[in-house]
Amino acid sequence: MTLVQSAGTRAVGWIALVVAVLVPGVVATVLWAPFLAVNRIRSLFATLPPTGRLSPTYVAVAIGVSVPYVAGFLAVLAFVDPAVVAWSNAFLTVTLFVSVLYVVGLPVVCILGLPRVGFDWDPTGYGWSTWALLVVGSAWYATLFAVPLVAVSLVLALPGGY
């Protein structure tokens, strides 16, 4: 293999990795956007760094929080033996772990953590309705990734697998 072919192959590999990481995040960003209709959610993203502006911060955060799902998916493909239903079980484990972490952890981080480090974002005072909104929003975001991963897991668990 020549040096040009090797560099080209590596470049294609890196581009494929970037696309694999970005595309699910972009889809989730679009499908989660209706939550931006709520003033508190807009205030949250407008307060967060790096820009302190709603749109770029929303896109960066929404794509960024998709990385654990995508990384988990890619890790299963890379490290789990596809024999029998091992991939199916591994996809379900990753999905369950990350989803529970998001539904429980993201509201806690946003309501208890962010104000303590100087990001006071909720104009209504972090009441029960803010908790409910963030739990529902986190659950919806987790669902956007859980449904396809569970569907893949079910297909892989069928007799004959893939």
Side-chain angles (χ1 to χ4, degrees), residues 25-48 53-63 121 133-134 136-138 140-141 144:
V26 169
V27 170
T29 300
V30 170
L31 294 175
W32 202 86
F35 281 90
L36 292 175
V38 179
N39 185 39
R40 284 178 273 189
I41 298 296
R42 286 193 312 272
S43 176
L44 169 62
F45 287 108
T47 304
L48 291 174
R53 293 186 7 231
L54 173 65
S55 296
T57 302
Y58 170 69
V59 171
V61 169
I63 290 173
W121 60 271
L133 178 65
L134 288 175
V136 168
S138 298
W140 173 243
Y141 194 86
L144 294 173

Side-chain angles (χ1 to χ4, degrees), residues 112-148:
L112 300 179
L114 289 177
R116 290 188 181 175
V117 294
F119 298 106
D120 187 17
W121 60 271
D122 186 8
T124 65
Y126 307 99
W128 68 269
S129 61
T130 300
W131 280 96
L133 178 65
L134 288 175
V135 167
V136 168
S138 298
W140 173 243
Y141 194 86
T143 301
L144 294 173
F145 285 93
V147 168

Side-chain angles (χ1 to χ4, degrees), residues 72-89:
F73 180 82
L74 295 175
V76 167
L77 294 179
F79 299 113
V80 175
D81 181 20
V84 193
V85 294
W87 271 2
S88 177
N89 293 337

Side-chain angles (χ1 to χ4, degrees), residues 2-21:
T2 66
L3 182 60
V4 174
Q5 287 174 327
S6 177
T9 302
R10 274 186 272 154
V12 168
W14 280 107
I15 291 170
L17 179 63
V18 168
V19 167
V21 170

